[in-house]
């Protein structure tokens, strides 16, 4: 018998059980990947996002042991209120026993009750998650390549290149007030990134929203680094930027967040410029970080080429799978 238990208040015991399930699941599916720390999992469960709501469930067996977990992210910002995102893990020894199906049915019911149109979930490579999703009506809508960069071996020569009319700036944490509006405008350049057939919708960034995003990361104990290219001449326009996150408790791997160049400033090598400068920052400010992980949609050939020039190499792939909830 499987008992699905909703979590409204996440205790240390709940987070410990969740962490154990996720760690066991990832060890089976992605054995070469680092496991999340307890602190990272606890923060993910307990820190409330600014543009979404999260519903959480645990699956317990007849003895009360937690053998599966599911988290449903319900986006609340205009442009994405049709979308829900699912994370689901089952301990390897309890797979194919109905645990995942029970959790999925619970999440689908909640998403439909909230009038969501689409449910998306990430499936690594060609593993069991993809087969599980396909058997339950999900379809693949977007493929990602995950790349890894050895920080010590990265080619950062581009950081020294001259880019007339532009200057580099950087900050840690929340964007400085003087740059907040320009940063929000630059982040809106991400709305034309390749999304395949995914029902992603659109995001509109404002100064308040970029501040809120940084606050969420800070509340989780994560460190956010940003390097940007500004247009000279008093115009105040941000031409491009890149973001790196070092998660709480992380000692060797950083995560690439957004990199974007505003349409009017493309074709000048600014993407490679800001990314090379970011690697120089990592070397100087965080010498313990040995590698950076990024992911790119497989049809985002331009950014993949930029990353390869910097020294990123292919690591693994994932597929974004989508279930259309408003169809019978």
């Amino acid at each position: 018998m499987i008992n699905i238990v909703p979590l409204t208040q996440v205790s240390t015991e709940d987070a410990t059980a969740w962490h154990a399930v996720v760690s066991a699941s990832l060890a089976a599916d992605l054995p070469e990947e680092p496991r999340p720390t307890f602190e990272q999992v606890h923060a993910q469960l307990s820190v409330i996002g600014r543009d979404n709501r999260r519903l959480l469930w645990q699956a317990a067996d007849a003895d009360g042991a937690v053998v599966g977990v599911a988290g449903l992210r319900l986006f609340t910002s205009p442009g994405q209120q049709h979308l829900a995102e699912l994370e689901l893990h089952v301990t390897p020894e309890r797979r194919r026993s109905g645990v995942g199906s029970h959790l999925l049915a619970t999440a689908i019911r909640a998403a439909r009750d909230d009038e969501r149109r689409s449910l998306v979930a990430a499936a690594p490579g060609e593993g069991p998650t993809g087969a599980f999703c396909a058997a339950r009506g999900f379809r693949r809508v977007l493929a990602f390549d995950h790349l890894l960069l050895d920080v010590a071996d990265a080619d950062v020569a581009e950081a020294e290149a001259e880019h007339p009319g532009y200057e580099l700036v950087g900050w840690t944490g929340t964007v400085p007030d003087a740059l907040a509006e320009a940063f929000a405008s630059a982040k809106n350049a991400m709305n034309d990134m390749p999304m395949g057939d995914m029902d992603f919708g659109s995001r509109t960034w404002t100064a308040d929203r970029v501040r809120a995003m940084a606050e969420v990361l800070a509340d989780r104990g994560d460190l956010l680094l940003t390097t940007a290219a500004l247009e000279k001449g008093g115009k105040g326009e941000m031409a491009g930027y890149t973001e790196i996150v070092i998660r709480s408790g992380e000692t060797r791997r950083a995560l690439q967040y957004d990199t974007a160049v505003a349409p009017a400033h493309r074709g000048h090598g600014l993407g490679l410029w800001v990314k090379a400068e970011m690697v120089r920052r990592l070397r100087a400010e965080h010498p313990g970080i040995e590698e950076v992980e990024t992911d790119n949609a497989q049809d985002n050939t331009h950014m993949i080429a930029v990353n390869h020039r910097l020294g990123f190499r292919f690591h693994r792939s994932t597929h974004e799978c989508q279930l259309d909830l408003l169809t019978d």
Side-chain angles (χ1 to χ4, degrees):
M1 185 181 74
I2 300 299
N3 185 29
I4 305 299
V5 181
L7 297 183
T8 54
Q9 299 289 331
V10 179
S11 67
T12 300
E13 182 181 6
D14 294 328
T16 299
W18 195 290
H19 176 252
V21 171
V22 171
S23 295
S25 174
L26 293 177
D29 295 341
L30 298 170
E32 297 181 357
E33 290 299 288
R35 307 289 163 261
T37 66
F38 168 79
E39 290 76 17
Q40 290 166 2
V41 169
H42 188 270
Q44 180 186 16
L45 297 175
S46 57
V47 176
I48 300 173
R50 303 296 193 271
D51 60 357
N52 63 86
R53 295 184 291 111
R54 282 178 62 88
L55 302 178
L56 307 172
W57 299 274
Q58 290 182 339
D61 65 14
D63 296 325
V66 177
V67 295
V69 297
L72 185 68
R73 185 181 180 193
L74 300 166
F75 294 87
T76 56
S77 296
Q80 290 193 305
Q81 292 172 336
H82 65 284
L83 186 63
E85 182 180 50
L86 176 67
E87 179 185 5
L88 191 155
H89 295 277
V90 177
T91 57
E93 66 274 10
R94 291 306 305 267
R95 293 177 178 178
R96 300 180 182 85
S97 67
V99 176
S101 295
H102 277 79
L103 285 167
L104 177 60
T106 301
I108 289 174
R109 193 159 49 244
R112 283 179 167 151
D113 287 347
D114 207 64
E115 300 182 340
R116 300 292 156 153
R117 183 173 72 222
S118 299
L119 176 67
V120 296
E126 300 299 325
T129 303
F132 174 87
C133 290
R136 287 153 183 83
F138 285 79
R139 56 190 175 88
R140 290 181 176 180
V141 290
L142 186 61
F144 285 98
D145 281 349
H146 291 249
L147 311 177
L148 276 183
L149 175 72
D150 294 322
V151 172
D153 296 334
D155 181 359
V156 298
E158 183 63 22
E160 301 288 353
E162 291 292 329
H163 290 270
Y166 300 99
E167 61 182 335
L168 290 171
V169 297
W171 64 88
T172 300
T174 305
V175 59
D177 288 344
L179 297 175
E181 293 290 347
F183 186 40
S185 179
K187 284 187 79 70
N188 283 315
M190 290 292 292
N191 279 328
D192 66 358
M193 64 181 175
M195 293 306 298
D197 293 327
M198 183 176 170
D199 188 14
F200 184 75
S202 62
R203 294 181 293 187
T204 301
W205 290 94
T206 65
D208 287 341
R209 188 174 182 189
V210 296
R211 293 186 185 104
M213 190 258 311
E215 289 170 2
V216 170
L217 292 172
D219 289 345
R220 292 177 182 169
D222 298 342
L223 189 66
L224 172 64
L225 309 175
T226 308
T227 295
L230 293 181
E231 191 175 21
K232 290 181 179 178
K235 297 181 180 180
E237 187 167 318
M238 189 172 292
Y241 69 93
T242 191
E243 298 169 316
I244 288 286
V245 170
I246 303 173
R247 292 176 296 178
S248 174
E250 187 58 66
T251 58
R252 63 182 304 271
R253 181 181 291 188
L255 299 180
Q256 178 77 65
Y257 269 38
D258 290 351
T259 299
V261 175
H265 300 277
R266 292 172 183 170
H268 302 292
L270 300 183
L272 183 59
W273 191 34
V274 295
K275 288 172 76 74
E277 176 62 21
M278 177 64 81
V279 175
R280 290 208 313 183
R281 282 187 65 186
L282 284 174
R283 289 174 177 173
E285 300 173 16
H286 304 280
I289 295 299
E290 299 176 6
E291 58 188 18
V292 177
E293 180 181 1
T294 189
D295 60 72
N296 301 118
Q298 289 181 355
D299 53 358
N300 191 353
T301 54
H302 173 74
M303 188 54 68
I304 290 174
V306 167
N307 284 328
H308 283 164
R309 283 188 61 188
L310 193 59
F312 279 90
R313 67 186 189 280
F314 177 79
H315 179 50
R316 60 185 179 90
S317 62
T318 58
H319 293 93
E320 202 73 22
C321 300
Q322 180 174 301
L323 181 67
D324 301 320
L325 297 175
L326 299 187
T327 58
D328 294 333

